[in-house]
Amino acid sequence: MGNRPIVLRWRYIHGMSSPVKSGPDRAVVLDGTTPSSTATVNAAAASFAALTGKLGYLSPTDLGQVRLAYRFADQAHLGQLRNSGEPYITHPIAVASQCAEWKLDAQALMAALLHDAMEDCGVSKTDLVERFGPSVAELVDGLTKLDKLQFNTREESQAESFRKMLLAMARDVRVILIKLADRSHNMRTLSDAPREKWQRIASETLDVYAPIAYRLGLNRTYRELQDLSFRYLRPWRYGVLSKAVTKARSRRRDLIQKVQSDVEAAYLRQGLKVRIAGREKTLYSIYRKMDEKNLSFAQVTDIYGFRVIVPSLLDCYTALGVLHQLYKPVPGKFKDHIAIGKINGYQSLHTTLVGPAGINVEFQLRTDAMHLIAESGVASHWLYKEAAATDVTPSDRMGSQWLQSLLDIQDETRDASEFWDHVKVDLFPDAVYVFTPKSQIMAMPRGATVVDFAYAIHSSVGDHMQAAKVNNEQVPLRTEIKNGDVIEIITAPQASPNPAWLGFVRTARARSKIRQHLKTLALTESEHLGEKMLVQALRAEGIESLPAQSDTHTVVWDKLLRFSGNRSHAELMTDIGLGKRIASIVAKRLAALLADNGEKPDALLLTRERFVMDDTVSQNSVAIDGSENASVQFAKCCRPIPGDPIVGYLGRGEGLTIHASDCPVARKLQNKDSERFMDVQWSDEPVRPFETGIVVTVQNGKGVLAKVASALAAAEADITQIDMNDASPAGVMDLRFVVSVRDLGQLENVFKNLRRTAPVVKAQRFKNAQ
């Protein structure tokens, strides 16, 4: 949106149903409904005249629609001034002018002119639909921040607004093109805004809008936003670097001219028709290179370069050969982005040559169509309609995979902050190129792992991933992939995502798919646990099993769901498993409903269950075997293992937590919340090992840790965590381990092995291990 105006008085715009709203940071409004100065009117008229000069590609009908949108926006912003003192309408005109350079259609230009009308002028979406149609109204709405809603923090508001904009962009890419034009003009005029806003706006531009421009292939906009952000984030460094580049430009002018004349002469001799243009590294890219590689300005040797535009794709490679015959190429500095295009659709050949006086000069070689896409990216879809046909057409898929991924992530992530976290991961531009075993090439973000690769192929491949091979060698799943790697994913039907993967995956797609799977898995397991708990509680009421969900019991289940406030049988069971509903209360209500339906409790079962039931617990016993996964947690305060007496605590919305019976934390909870405790017992055959804490006191010396670890390995105990304190003056220190064991019997074997190890002074269980 534009530089925020300052004060706005209440007034009505002719033909609008709602008043224009005032605000502390909106617009300066002159007395009356018309500006007192004809200069402001002339400035706005001149701006719009300049815009209409760029609209020759529109039909007369479309041009008329754009004029109507201008008149409406001019009325809506009447009397508002920008911080610079210009009429506010000059900002929407400037945004529309940028969109016209991309040859966007009439609807997009109308939305650009109206983009601040809803946010700043009290114009409703209904007003826009009635006057300009639903398409224009949807575009404007996608650009409007969520100012009317209440959020706890600025970050929450920003995340929700970004989510709204990005999802609108995914459905219609014109939304983000208008937004980038809007942000570009705001950044060009940021010097007029209060200085305290510079840091926030420039940071947001550099972190969000510049990467979005890159992902959509809008490289010219990307470079401009980076440089403008740098100017306001680091003004002193920007100034120093700008002066240094200006001096270097004047010093090397003769050298650059010589390189250009030599190259032109070489192409002329070969009969190649080319266009050569000089290009200069942006200030921000120079600064970033100096910062990342710890270089001085004098050590940055590739500030200047050339762009060579050739007629056809084959000419790119011919022109490259001519250059390599003229100057020696720098080893390792050639990149073929034509054969392997970048993820945003960019295509060019890049080579760095050793020019006169040993100065490195970079060349980029591309066709006209490639140049169009390189500079305008997704906007080239509209530009290309105006361009002559050539050998390459803009890819319809340019940026589409990323845009589609936004919709996929939204389907799986309803929380705005979580959605924004996912999206930020994918905004940064570095990429690596890898191959499937069938030689299909795939672009992945730098730092991506084999798990990210698996999810990039298909979510079902990632969900059932068991192992991976890189270049025919099996590797850990956290392995980062590199350029040229051939990656094979090994799947298994029983395999499923591990929560630990969230600690190292790089892409938003992988992260959201893993989280979605784990959430679904947790709900399914909670549903099964809840059903088991309700059956146990029903037995205490004399009911052998849950009534079937058949026509006979439809009324019973409907009444029970109304009683509990749940929408379905599955939701009720999940709530019981998560501790949101108490199984014994639901069981009593269900037993009463069954009695009303003519089904009496079994007197023999009722007597037997009440006879064996422990008075200290509120529900019957649930068997724990370790297969419950997310629905059952094992308390880290006491880390119980099979053989320990245990109790279960049903936290509110947290599922069932298993504590040791003598755990101090459990005792405190029992005193405060006894009705949430239930009787649990270990299954006769647990299906996995369990973690517990031990402390080993040793006489410090060389190789002590290795000896202790060997003793643990000999007892077949897996070490999952190690912690140690500093040695005492006597040379004694404590080693704290979290180890996985099957039961108390195996833990005893662990202690026996440790006590027989020479440096060990003592070994014991540590029940407060975290």
Side-chain angles (χ1 to χ4, degrees):
M1 307 301 153
N3 281 351
R4 285 294 171 245
I6 303 163
V7 186
L8 183 62
R9 296 177 187 166
W10 285 98
R11 57 189 167 80
Y12 283 81
I13 295 173
H14 177 67
M16 291 189 191
S17 60
S18 54
V20 177
K21 298 186 179 179
S22 70
D25 63 343
R26 292 305 185 202
V28 174
V29 178
L30 306 175
D31 288 334
T33 57
T34 58
S36 60
S37 170
T38 56
T40 57
V41 176
N42 292 338
S47 295
F48 187 69
L51 169 62
T52 54
K54 298 179 180 180
L55 303 182
Y57 64 94
L58 292 181
S59 68
T61 303
D62 287 344
L63 189 58
Q65 288 295 310
V66 173
R67 288 185 183 279
L68 286 175
Y70 163 69
R71 293 192 190 104
F72 185 89
D74 190 33
Q75 277 292 313
H77 293 295
L78 188 65
Q80 296 180 359
L81 302 180
R82 303 193 83 216
N83 288 321
S84 62
E86 296 176 300
Y88 192 85
I89 189 62
T90 58
H91 168 66
I93 292 172
V95 174
S97 183
Q98 174 64 65
C99 293
E101 288 183 14
W102 289 328
K103 300 292 190 291
L104 297 193
D105 58 21
Q107 290 180 341
L109 296 173
M110 292 160 70
L113 288 166
L114 298 164
H115 77 271
D116 274 338
M118 282 176 65
E119 189 170 328
D120 291 347
C121 303
V123 177
S124 70
K125 187 176 177 180
T126 305
D127 292 331
L128 295 181
V129 170
E130 290 173 355
R131 287 172 174 266
F132 305 108
S135 296
V136 173
E138 285 297 335
L139 287 172
V140 176
D141 186 55
L143 291 158
T144 304
K145 292 200 297 251
L146 303 173
D147 289 342
K148 306 297 182 292
L149 300 182
Q150 297 299 314
F151 297 99
N152 295 327
T153 63
R154 181 185 182 86
E155 290 74 20
E156 185 182 336
S157 170
Q158 185 185 51
E160 191 64 60
S161 293
F162 278 137
R163 175 166 75 162
K164 178 186 176 186
M165 180 191 72
L166 289 169
L167 292 175
M169 172 189 81
R171 297 183 185 100
D172 190 335
V173 76
R174 292 175 298 177
V175 169
I176 198 61
L177 292 174
I178 299 167
K179 184 62 188 178
L180 289 171
D182 173 39
R183 181 52 62 116
S184 296
H185 186 248
N186 281 338
M187 289 302 296
R188 290 173 199 146
T189 58
L190 189 59
S191 58
D192 297 324
R195 196 179 185 93
E196 61 268 16
K197 292 186 177 182
W198 288 8
Q199 184 82 20
R200 176 181 60 81
I201 295 172
S203 294
E204 185 179 86
T205 302
L206 189 62
D207 294 342
V208 179
Y209 293 102
I212 288 175
Y214 180 88
R215 286 303 300 254
L216 297 177
L218 297 157
N219 287 302
R220 183 183 299 165
T221 303
Y222 167 64
R223 293 191 296 267
E224 182 186 15
L225 291 177
Q226 281 188 325
D227 263 16
L228 289 169
S229 300
F230 177 42
R231 176 181 176 182
Y232 292 103
L233 284 172
R234 300 281 187 274
W236 183 83
R237 294 178 188 181
Y238 179 91
V240 169
L241 206 52
S242 181
K243 289 177 183 176
V245 169
T246 303
K247 287 181 181 178
R249 191 184 300 135
S250 60
R251 283 198 308 269
R252 295 180 181 175
R253 184 179 293 113
D254 293 341
L255 178 69
I256 298 302
Q257 287 175 349
K258 174 174 171 48
V259 171
Q260 184 162 349
S261 62
D262 287 351
V263 170
E264 286 173 343
Y267 284 134
L268 190 63
R269 286 193 297 273
Q270 298 298 325
L272 269 175
K273 293 182 179 180
V274 301
R275 293 200 323 272
I276 300 175
R279 53 174 293 277
E280 186 175 283
K281 215 175 183 72
T282 64
L283 292 181
Y284 180 72
S285 62
I286 295 170
Y287 167 73
R288 193 166 63 178
K289 187 167 187 177
M290 292 169 62
D291 186 51
E292 289 175 356
K293 299 189 176 181
N294 200 23
L295 302 174
S296 66
F297 179 75
Q299 292 172 304
V300 181
T301 58
D302 59 346
I303 294 174
Y304 303 101
F306 292 93
R307 190 169 288 135
V308 181
I309 311 296
V310 298
S312 70
L313 188 149
L314 188 60
D315 290 334
C316 291
Y317 293 93
T318 306
L320 177 71
V322 172
L323 285 177
H324 283 191
Q325 290 300 309
L326 182 63
Y327 297 122
K328 297 298 180 189
V330 177
K333 288 291 187 178
F334 168 68
K335 293 178 181 176
D336 189 342
H337 291 304
I338 294 177
I340 305 175
K342 290 191 176 182
I343 52 180
N344 60 9
Y346 176 91
Q347 289 183 297
S348 279
L349 297 178
H350 288 197
T351 186
T352 302
L353 309 177
V354 182
I359 299 297
N360 286 0
V361 183
E362 185 187 49
F363 285 82
Q364 298 174 353
L365 302 98
R366 59 180 71 146
T367 65
D368 276 309
M370 291 175 191
H371 182 61
L372 187 66
I373 295 170
E375 293 302 298
S376 301
V378 74
S380 62
H381 169 78
W382 289 273
L383 283 166
Y384 199 77
K385 293 176 183 177
E386 308 301 318
T390 60
D391 58 304
V392 180
T393 56
S395 168
D396 288 335
R397 296 189 307 107
M398 192 184 312
S400 64
Q401 288 182 342
W402 181 59
L403 294 175
Q404 182 58 45
S405 76
L406 297 178
L407 298 177
D408 292 342
I409 293 167
Q410 164 66 8
D411 288 340
E412 296 151 7
T413 308
R414 293 297 172 183
D415 178 75
S417 297
E418 188 178 325
F419 172 83
W420 182 234
D421 286 342
H422 287 325
V423 172
K424 280 192 292 187
V425 168
D426 271 356
L427 280 180
F428 299 97
D430 290 342
V432 294
Y433 299 89
V434 295
F435 297 89
T436 68
K438 293 183 179 179
S439 299
Q440 179 188 350
I441 191 166
M442 295 186 67
M444 299 293 296
R446 192 172 300 279
T449 65
V450 291
V451 176
D452 293 295
F453 178 82
Y455 278 101
I457 295 171
H458 196 277
S459 58
S460 64
V461 175
D463 286 346
H464 296 98
M465 180 181 188
Q466 187 176 53
K469 289 183 178 179
V470 174
N471 303 324
N472 218 28
E473 291 185 7
Q474 192 155 334
V475 296
L477 297 186
R478 61 173 57 245
T479 301
E480 290 187 7
I481 56 181
K482 298 180 176 61
N483 269 324
D485 282 347
V486 178
I487 304 168
E488 179 185 355
I489 303 299
I490 300 164
T491 61
Q494 72 276 13
S496 63
N498 188 323
W501 293 359
L502 292 171
F504 57 76
V505 292
R506 175 74 175 79
T507 60
R509 177 178 173 80
R511 189 176 297 277
S512 66
K513 292 290 184 185
I514 293 166
R515 282 184 173 167
Q516 176 68 12
H517 184 94
L518 293 174
K519 284 178 184 176
T520 304
L521 184 66
L523 290 175
T524 303
E525 290 168 352
S526 296
E527 182 184 343
H528 292 326
L529 176 64
E531 192 165 322
K532 189 191 297 186
M533 290 164 61
L534 185 56
V535 168
Q536 293 284 3
L538 272 176
R539 288 178 63 84
E541 302 300 324
I543 310 293
E544 182 67 38
S545 60
L546 283 175
Q549 295 184 67
S550 60
D551 293 342
T552 310
H553 295 105
T554 299
V555 175
V556 172
W557 279 111
D558 286 346
K559 288 181 178 178
L560 183 66
L561 292 175
R562 281 199 297 274
F563 165 75
S564 65
N566 294 100
R567 289 171 293 183
S568 66
H569 174 274
E571 186 182 89
L572 173 59
M573 298 305 149
T574 301
D575 279 358
I576 293 171
L578 289 172
K580 295 179 180 178
R581 301 279 182 273
I582 301 296
S584 60
I585 296 173
V586 177
K588 288 180 188 299
R589 180 63 176 173
L590 182 54
L593 290 170
L594 288 170
D596 292 343
N597 203 41
E599 299 178 44
K600 302 298 181 185
D602 184 329
L604 181 60
L605 177 62
L606 185 61
T607 304
R608 187 171 68 244
E609 291 294 322
R610 288 184 176 175
F611 178 75
V612 299
M613 190 168 62
D614 191 325
D615 291 336
T616 62
V617 294
S618 59
Q619 299 170 34
N620 270 26
S621 176
V622 172
I624 303 296
D625 64 4
S627 65
E628 300 83 8
N629 294 330
S631 61
V632 175
Q633 305 294 323
F634 294 86
K636 292 187 177 181
C637 51
C638 53
R639 296 192 187 271
I641 59 175
D644 287 330
I646 53 174
V647 293
Y649 175 67
L650 205 55
R652 291 175 173 82
E654 300 164 6
L656 185 62
T657 303
I658 307 301
H659 288 266
S661 296
D662 59 353
C663 173
V665 174
R667 286 177 178 170
K668 286 181 182 177
L669 288 170
Q670 210 158 8
N671 290 335
K672 185 175 70 173
D673 221 359
S674 61
E675 75 280 358
R676 289 196 163 267
F677 274 81
M678 60 181 299
D679 190 23
V680 291
Q681 62 185 16
W682 294 108
S683 168
D684 293 336
E685 296 182 359
V687 298
R688 65 171 178 85
F690 297 81
E691 291 183 348
T692 193
I694 63 172
V695 58
V696 184
T697 306
V698 297
Q699 195 71 38
N700 198 14
K702 188 175 181 180
V704 166
L705 184 57
K707 292 175 183 176
V708 172
S710 296
L712 291 170
E716 298 182 352
D718 293 330
I719 301 171
T720 59
Q721 184 180 319
I722 304 175
D723 189 21
M724 59 186 75
N725 59 9
D726 295 332
S728 67
V732 174
M733 67 183 300
D734 287 340
L735 303 176
R736 295 188 180 190
F737 296 89
V738 176
V739 295
S740 289
V741 292
R742 291 184 302 276
D743 51 30
L744 275 177
Q746 187 186 2
L747 185 61
E748 280 303 317
N749 288 336
V750 167
F751 288 140
K752 286 176 184 176
N753 277 17
L754 287 171
R755 288 161 188 154
R756 286 198 292 262
T757 306
V760 174
V761 177
K762 65 177 180 179
Q764 59 188 4
R765 197 157 172 196
F766 179 68
K767 287 201 173 183
N768 289 325
Q770 293 297 321

